[in-house]
Amino acid sequence: MRLRQLLASLVTLLALLILPAIAVAAEDLAALVDQLPKGQFKDREAVIVSLAATGDPAVVPVLQALSDGNLYARKADQKVFIGKPSGDVLILLNPLTQAEEGQAAKTDLEKIKVNNALREKISNALGGLTLFSSDPKVRRDAALTILKSGDPSALPALTKAIERESDPAIAELMRDAAAAATLGSALPDADKLAAIERLSKHGDQDTVALLSNFASTAPEPLKSAALAAVASIEKSLAVFAVIQNVWYGLSLGSVLLLAAIGLAVTFGVMGVINMAHGEMVMLGAYTTYVIQDICRTSFPGLMDWSLLMALPMAFLISGGVGVAIERGIIRFLYGRPLETLLATWGISLILQQAVRTIFGPTNQEVSTPSWMSGSIEIVDGLSLTLNRLVILLFSLAVFAGLMLLMRKSPIGLQMRAVTQNRQMANAMGIRSNMVDALTFGLGSGIAGLAGVALSQIDNVSPNLGRGYIIDSFLVVVFGGVGNLWGTLAGAMTLGVANKFLEPVAGAVLGKIIILICVILFIQKRPRGLFALKGRWVDA
């Protein structure tokens, strides 16, 4: 009993000590807000800096309303309110608590004006104040904003935020932001040298710009230290740029591999130039769109799994259309390559127009699942996007699966036999016409899988496949017709080469250079990187 009385007494004593302090702090904050309408823009800037220095989240709506032009002073007593329009009057809200305190005619109020310089100051101040948000993402974004701007007025808020921060990664980012803010402050040169040293390890383009601007006006030895830091960061960025280009090239190569691997099988076994291969890719992409549309309207809880559900459906639909094309048209045109090319080109136009008629000519929305969204940051300035990483792994998985099928299954053995010597395969009892149908279906089905992957990084439209058909043929011819390892090597080589040429020569000229290089290479090695061997192939 005595213990409870003692605890109650302690709580009462703490309340008597703390509550008056809170009330005084609130009164001081309100008095500071009421200083905003007084004086000129410079005086208003000083008040904004003082409000930001308090680090109180209650200041955020005040500054936001000031920036948006919704902060007013009542002419009668110069008391400040947030004005909320309601017909011919304004509802008056307490700027710190947002409690309603009556209403007033617009003529009884005077808007507190700001200029562009003040808006920038308010933006920086808001960035500092959101350092205390309960949302880690908001705190991280606030630290990044200060890191880019280097606003010295944010230093007091940053110091308090670093002390309170529980997330080690965000705390480190806040320390980087404090280093950036230190450069523009009146702190001693020793602190600025330490800040330059810290920023040199952060290493991105924004830091380079910040240090370069600082070096242009800084005295020695600060200038030399800043320039040395800039040189160090730029050297790291150059290395990261090469790595990033290789990554983007491999990413493009994985897309080309998915688009070309089915064509390699079809072209290698049957010798058919299938100009409708790109439309098989398009059908896979539209299958993904339809599956997602069904999930969105009827089964929203399955949206994250819609892409996985689309894979078998895209394979079956594109593969089924491929078998129908082979049985209905292609088999009557074997040995007549020009007629086959024209027939498949006509089929591609029919499929494009059919899709336009059913779905319309505009792009269709295909969302990215949560498990494919975002990126993995390796180091500052180098990150890998998850969607492209998943597509790269998926393309390698498809390649490995196809290799197993070709090496370990009876149909794979028959396909290789027909590829190497069709006449001998027929003599051994292999039904080459059935192998042709299954091969065309397999190649078309893999193109459908490519369409599922491409729906995540490209526009789903009737013209989707057109952009990949030429590159797919280049990959197949460069790697070696019908050779899967050649297709893999060709796709990755052309993908990386494209990404290194684009910054130098541009996208269009880069593709032209690649085409010329492939033509020259084929002049020396007509069968590509990895040539198939066999009597029929060698003939």
Side-chain angles (χ1 to χ4, degrees), residues 68-114:
D68 296 341
N70 295 326
L71 202 65
Y72 296 84
R74 191 160 54 194
K75 291 179 180 178
D77 55 6
Q78 289 297 292
K79 189 168 178 58
V80 174
F81 297 95
I82 294 175
K84 184 179 178 182
S86 178
D88 295 332
V89 297
L90 291 174
I91 297 173
L92 304 180
L93 304 178
N94 185 297
L96 295 172
T97 65
Q98 284 73 61
E100 193 170 326
E101 296 189 3
Q103 58 185 32
K106 294 179 181 179
T107 54
D108 296 333
L109 302 170
E110 182 180 2
K111 183 181 288 189
I112 302 175
K113 297 179 180 178
V114 294

Side-chain angles (χ1 to χ4, degrees), residues 31 47 69 150 197 213 216 238 277 362 374 381 385 391 426 451 458 460 488 519:
V47 176
E197 176 65 24
N213 290 335
S216 64
H277 187 77
T362 56
T385 53
I391 290 172
N426 286 330
D458 208 338
V460 177
L488 174 64
I519 291 171

Side-chain angles (χ1 to χ4, degrees), residues 249-533:
L250 292 176
S251 175
L252 175 61
S254 67
V255 172
L256 293 177
L257 175 64
L258 279 174
I261 195 169
L263 188 64
V265 173
T266 306
F267 196 20
V269 173
M270 304 164 64
V272 172
I273 302 174
N274 180 18
M275 294 300 292
H277 187 77
E279 278 54 53
M280 302 299 109
V281 175
M282 175 196 68
L283 289 178
Y286 272 95
T287 302
T288 309
Y289 163 70
V290 172
I291 295 291
Q292 282 204 352
D293 193 49
I294 293 171
C295 290
R296 189 180 294 111
T297 54
S298 304
F299 309 100
L302 296 176
M303 275 299 290
D304 259 2
W305 307 103
S306 59
L307 213 62
L308 297 178
M309 291 188 285
L311 288 173
M313 292 302 298
F315 182 86
L316 291 174
I317 289 172
S318 295
V321 171
V323 171
I325 291 172
E326 197 280 335
R327 289 287 85 190
I329 298 173
I330 302 297
R331 71 189 180 107
F332 301 110
L333 300 175
Y334 287 135
R336 297 152 67 185
L338 181 58
E339 286 89 339
T340 304
L341 187 148
L342 292 173
T344 53
W345 181 57
I347 292 169
S348 74
L349 296 179
I350 292 170
L351 289 173
Q352 285 181 34
Q353 192 55 47
V355 167
R356 283 194 184 91
T357 303
I358 298 169
F359 298 101
T362 56
N363 296 340
Q364 302 298 333
E365 179 188 358
V366 175
S367 59
T368 302
S370 59
W371 48 272
M372 281 182 69
S373 303
S375 60
I376 301 173
E377 189 167 349
I378 308 302
V379 292
D380 286 333
L382 180 63
S383 60
L384 307 180
T385 53
L386 280 177
N387 60 345
R388 290 187 176 273
L389 179 60
V390 170
I391 290 172
L392 175 60
L393 295 176
F394 174 67
S395 67
L396 294 176
V398 171
F399 177 81
L402 187 57
M403 286 294 296
L404 283 174
L405 179 72
M406 297 291 286
R407 297 288 178 185
K408 302 296 182 180
S409 69
I411 183 62
L413 180 63
Q414 292 175 18
M415 288 169 61
R416 285 187 291 132
V418 172
T419 301
Q420 292 181 14
N421 195 319
R422 180 177 289 268
Q423 289 80 7
M424 183 59 72
N426 286 330
M428 296 297 293
I430 295 174
R431 298 173 61 189
S432 61
N433 59 342
M434 188 57 65
V435 171
D436 288 339
L438 292 175
T439 301
F440 208 90
L442 177 63
S444 299
I446 293 173
L449 296 180
V452 177
L454 285 173
S455 69
Q456 299 301 300
I457 59 173
D458 208 338
N459 297 322
V460 177
S461 71
N463 299 322
L464 173 65
R466 187 186 299 174
Y468 293 95
I469 185 65
I470 303 300
D471 287 337
S472 298
F473 274 111
L474 273 179
V475 167
V476 171
V477 172
F478 177 64
V481 175
N483 191 301
L484 296 184
W485 286 110
T487 304
L488 174 64
M492 296 305 172
T493 302
L494 294 183
V496 173
N498 257 314
K499 286 303 173 183
F500 274 96
L501 280 173
E502 276 181 11
V504 179
V508 176
L509 186 56
K511 285 185 179 295
I512 294 172
I513 294 172
I514 292 289
L515 176 61
I516 293 171
C517 290
V518 169
I519 291 171
L520 293 175
F521 178 81
I522 295 301
Q523 292 293 317
K524 293 292 183 182
R525 289 181 65 89
R527 295 181 187 172
L529 284 172
F530 299 88
L532 284 176
K533 295 191 180 296

Side-chain angles (χ1 to χ4, degrees), residues 41-53:
F41 286 135
K42 287 186 177 179
D43 304 310
R44 211 158 290 162
E45 181 179 340
V47 176
I48 291 168
V49 171
S50 300
L51 285 170

Side-chain angles (χ1 to χ4, degrees), residues 136-207:
K137 184 179 183 302
V138 173
R139 298 198 304 273
R140 186 178 185 280
D141 291 343
L144 282 172
T145 300
I146 298 170
L147 178 59
K148 291 177 182 179
S149 66
D151 182 18
S153 65
L155 265 176
L158 273 169
T159 304
K160 294 179 184 177
I162 291 169
E163 293 172 357
R164 293 171 51 177
E165 185 55 58
S166 57
D167 188 318
I170 297 177
E172 279 299 301
L173 189 58
M174 287 180 177
R175 291 187 183 96
D176 289 338
T182 299
L183 296 181
S185 70
L187 290 172
D189 286 357
D191 292 340
K192 293 182 179 180
L193 286 171
I196 291 170
E197 176 65 24
R198 182 175 187 86
L199 289 173
S200 68
K201 297 172 183 175
H202 183 76
D204 59 16
Q205 289 292 354
D206 293 321
T207 308

